[in-house]
Amino acid sequence: MMTKDEIKQMLKHVPHFPGVYRYFNKDGEMIYVGKAKNLRKRVTSYFSKEPESRKVRHMVESIQRLEFTIVDTERDALLLENSLIKHNQPKYNINLKDDKTYPFIVIKNEPFPRIFLTRNVIKDGSEYFGPYTSVRKIRGLLELVRTLIPIRTNNHNLFLRIMEDGRLRVNPEYYLKGISGPKEEYLTEADYNRGLEQVREIFKGRLGLVINMLQNRIKECVSKLEFEKADILRQQLDFIMEYQNNSIVFNTKVKDLDVFTIHLKEDQAYVNYLQVRKGDIVFTKTISIKSEVDKTLEEMLLSSIVQIQEKFKRTLSR
């Protein structure tokens, strides 16, 4: 366990910014990833009071090094935290259940899968997307998806008998609620699964398909002078665009990229490096530098990039 002087020295460089922090043990293994509105306040709390549980105490006793990354919003912190946990599988994020209350979207592991919000991640072969910070926005996204792609929402027992026929109506609720509709329109399980592939792309943030679809529908409505329908579709398009551009951490157009940002606090500057591989953030590093009065932020950032590139030149993308 670190001495009081070592802890004090470690905390000295942690800023009062929102961000994500990582703890490492003596072997250099990442053992915990967390997020905070105030990094200094949150990290200090681990060492200023007796841990509430035995597992937290064991974790604190194992900490030998701290790293942090500064972000702008709670959503950015959540996405970065989730990405680092998924990629590194830190020991105490698996054992501790403090941060498991955010909702996910689940595609159930079943024939003609249902899609809905849940806070319980069950290892039953289902697919989970998230976590998300805004239930309202995700409910809006789900509602929009259901207007574009036929998705089953009812778990009625009658559905099991319909499956034997191998077909599902274009409006899945027809069989489940007796909604009337043209009998010649059917949806096979293969067709339904093709729709699911579009849904997966949407939940992964690859929204080009939906955006193009909405834009074409708007043009069609305008050409038919159906302006009220066009206005509703425009609102849906605005919602999708807002969802797509909501985060500086998560950008689905990116595959491999190295991202550098700089944050200034009084006479101290913090330079973040995010390593994105195949669309996921797999590594992040922050260095602290003294602010120089004769240099602009851009000049300080460029100088820091050279240092970081030299240190991580084997892993930076070309």
Side-chain angles (χ1 to χ4, degrees), residues 66-101:
L66 161 73
E67 290 185 359
F68 58 85
T69 302
I70 299 166
V71 298
D72 290 329
T73 68
E74 181 186 8
R75 173 178 168 79
D76 286 338
L78 178 65
L79 291 170
L80 177 56
E81 176 197 43
N82 186 59
S83 183
L84 291 173
I85 290 173
K86 182 175 67 174
H87 185 75
N88 295 281
Q89 293 290 298
K91 174 182 177 180
Y92 288 98
N93 285 100
I94 297 171
N95 292 337
L96 300 174
K97 307 299 180 184
D98 303 348
D99 303 316
K100 304 300 180 186
T101 58

Side-chain angles (χ1 to χ4, degrees), residues 168-170 175 182-187:
L168 184 69
R169 201 165 189 81
V170 170
Y175 286 119
K183 294 184 178 180
E184 68 275 10
E185 293 185 12
Y186 289 95
L187 195 67

Side-chain angles (χ1 to χ4, degrees), residues 4-5 25 28 36 45 65 73 116 120 138 157 165-166 169 174 181 199 201 207 225 243 276 282 294 300 317:
K4 289 185 177 180
D5 287 341
N25 63 15
S45 70
R65 181 163 58 88
T73 68
F116 53 88
N120 299 314
I138 298 309
N157 289 335
D165 187 22
R169 201 165 189 81
Y174 174 83
V199 172
E201 291 295 294
L207 304 176
L225 304 181
Y243 176 80
V276 182
V282 299
D294 60 335
M300 286 190 287
S317 64

Side-chain angles (χ1 to χ4, degrees), residues 242-253:
E242 179 187 359
Y243 176 80
Q244 184 182 43
N245 298 319
N246 201 30
S247 174
I248 62 167
V249 166
F250 184 72
N251 188 326
T252 57
K253 296 178 181 178

Side-chain angles (χ1 to χ4, degrees), residues 254-259 273-280 317:
V254 170
K255 290 298 181 184
D256 288 1
L257 190 68
D258 297 305
V259 181
Y273 163 48
L274 299 178
Q275 186 182 85
V276 182
R277 296 295 178 264
K278 297 181 180 178
D280 286 330
S317 64

